[in-house]
Amino acid sequence: MAKSELQKMLDGELYNAGDPELVAGRSKARQLFTKYNALSYDDQEAKKVILRELLGKFENNIDIQSPFYCDYGSNIFAGENLFMNFNCIILDCARITLGDNVFMAPNVQLYAAYHPVLASERIKGPEYAAPITIGNNVWLGGGVIVCPGVTIGDNTTIGAGSVVTKDIPANVVAAGNPCRVIKHL
């Protein structure tokens, strides 16, 4: 039996994002994050109800400042004590794993989605996705972009404005474009 486009997406294979099942998943996510973003900051219980429907999983102590945007939400799995500041974007076409005590400054972007490099293939429309894993006790500074397939190790700080294109080990400070280790902790 042939794989669905959803299964191809989750398996990191070339897939058609225009598939009706995927379009419906993104539409549901947009409806939910639009409701979430419209709620008052003080309405934390209503926000958690929406997050429980939107996200794949999260533990206690979740604080996502509005506005927040994602592709599906269902592929985001967060540990204990997650903080995301204003205007974070997660393109969760593949699994996004966020460990315990992950803090994201404003404008952090996690991109699991990507497109073929060859223009002749890219213009046909199909795309790829690769998972992103953020370890425990990680701080992503303002405006950090994490690219598809990247893992960031535990206890690591990524400096503001960094573009993380390759894995970053545990217990370091890393920064730059492309992001590189600048200090071992």
Side-chain angles (χ1 to χ4, degrees):
M1 186 165 138
K3 286 185 180 182
S4 69
E5 296 303 306
L6 171 62
Q7 195 58 54
K8 289 179 192 177
M9 179 181 81
L10 295 174
D11 288 347
E13 299 171 11
L14 197 62
Y15 70 95
N16 176 2
D19 176 75
E21 181 181 19
L22 296 178
V23 171
R26 289 192 307 274
S27 178
K28 178 183 176 187
R30 280 155 179 72
Q31 290 170 18
L32 289 168
F33 73 61
T34 298
K35 287 179 188 176
Y36 182 88
N37 290 336
L39 288 171
S40 165
Y41 175 75
D42 295 328
D43 202 348
Q44 293 298 310
E45 283 308 310
K47 284 184 170 256
K48 278 191 179 179
V49 167
I50 292 171
L51 290 176
R52 290 203 191 289
E53 187 174 352
L54 177 62
L55 303 182
K57 180 185 174 204
F58 68 88
E59 301 297 332
N60 296 317
N61 299 327
I62 188 167
D63 186 354
I64 300 176
Q65 300 293 301
S66 298
F68 163 68
Y69 306 98
C70 62
D71 262 341
Y72 298 94
S74 58
N75 299 317
I76 301 170
F77 297 84
E80 180 76 31
N81 199 29
L82 171 66
F83 176 75
M84 294 171 64
N85 213 319
F86 304 108
N87 208 39
C88 286
I89 299 170
I90 299 179
L91 302 186
D92 62 309
C93 302
R95 185 181 179 102
I96 305 289
T97 303
L98 307 170
D100 294 339
N101 305 307
V102 171
F103 300 154
M104 296 183 198
N107 300 308
V108 168
Q109 301 166 64
L110 307 180
Y111 297 153
Y114 67 105
H115 301 275
V117 174
L118 292 175
S120 60
E121 293 300 313
R122 185 173 52 250
I123 62 175
K124 293 176 186 175
E127 56 191 64
Y128 293 102
I132 293 172
T133 302
I134 310 294
N136 296 320
N137 312 312
V138 170
W139 176 25
L140 303 177
V144 165
I145 297 172
V146 179
C147 293
V150 166
T151 295
I152 298 173
D154 293 347
N155 309 311
T156 287
T157 297
I158 306 295
S162 296
V163 179
V164 187
T165 61
K166 296 187 186 313
D167 291 353
I168 301 293
N171 303 304
V172 300
V173 175
N177 181 5
C179 189
R180 67 192 193 301
V181 174
I182 58 176
K183 180 180 181 180
H184 292 270
L185 301 175

